[in-house]
Amino acid sequence: MKTGKNQAKKGKIKGFPSVVDAGLAFKHGFYLETGWILSLLFEKKAKNLLRRIENEPRSAGYSFEQSIRRMKYLYRAGCVPQLNEFLDKGLIDEMWHWKKTRNSMLKDMMTSRVSQPRMERVASEAISLYKKWNRGLKIVRDALKNTANPTLQQMAEAK
């Protein structure tokens, strides 16, 4: 019996796009799809971090916009010191701006033709933003894991 190629990959959700899928889409000129795949990954990572910080199932129902807003609120409130220490506020603002740019491009597609360079620019911005976002969230997640700080829910119960 062969092992290797046909073995199931651990941790990969069947049917959920990955970074590899986004890279292939970009390589073959599917810039709109690249943006959507990375948008799904942005949202998934933000929800996972919020779920870890808040320890609430409610955060799983957040949309991408709500996740960004909630992270920005937690950053401003200073409730999670690891978030303030390891995640740049400018990165959250960049994420918000990219989402607005993506949405305006999609609205323009309904009324007129959107140029290929514009779609490529939005997709390449998403790729560079994904690298920063992934790196920042990974550092925050590791810091949360390594410290014995309570979650927001536990802090609220203690008051």
Side-chain angles (χ1 to χ4, degrees), residues 85-153:
E85 187 176 345
F86 298 112
L87 191 66
D88 184 25
K89 181 182 177 278
L91 185 59
I92 298 171
D93 292 336
E94 280 183 63
M95 183 66 62
W96 182 267
H97 183 269
W98 177 80
K99 186 192 81 60
K100 292 291 185 190
T101 305
R102 180 205 66 191
N103 287 350
S104 68
M105 182 185 71
L106 291 173
K107 287 178 185 173
D108 290 346
M109 289 178 110
M110 299 295 285
T111 58
S112 65
R113 188 175 187 285
V114 176
S115 67
Q116 193 75 1
R118 182 178 175 192
M119 286 193 289
E120 184 177 1
R121 188 190 69 222
V122 170
S124 62
E125 285 175 8
I127 290 171
S128 65
L129 192 57
Y130 180 79
K131 290 176 184 177
K132 292 181 206 173
W133 185 251
N134 193 33
R135 190 177 324 119
L137 292 186
K138 187 180 282 188
I139 292 170
V140 170
R141 188 181 65 232
D142 290 343
L144 285 170
K145 190 184 293 185
N146 292 336
T147 59
N149 287 344
T151 62
L152 290 178
Q153 188 177 18

Side-chain angles (χ1 to χ4, degrees), residues 60-74:
Y62 288 164
S63 68
F64 183 38
E65 184 174 345
Q66 290 170 328
S67 298
I68 294 173
R69 282 184 182 176
R70 186 67 182 159
M71 288 185 75
K72 195 169 190 173
Y73 168 77
L74 291 173

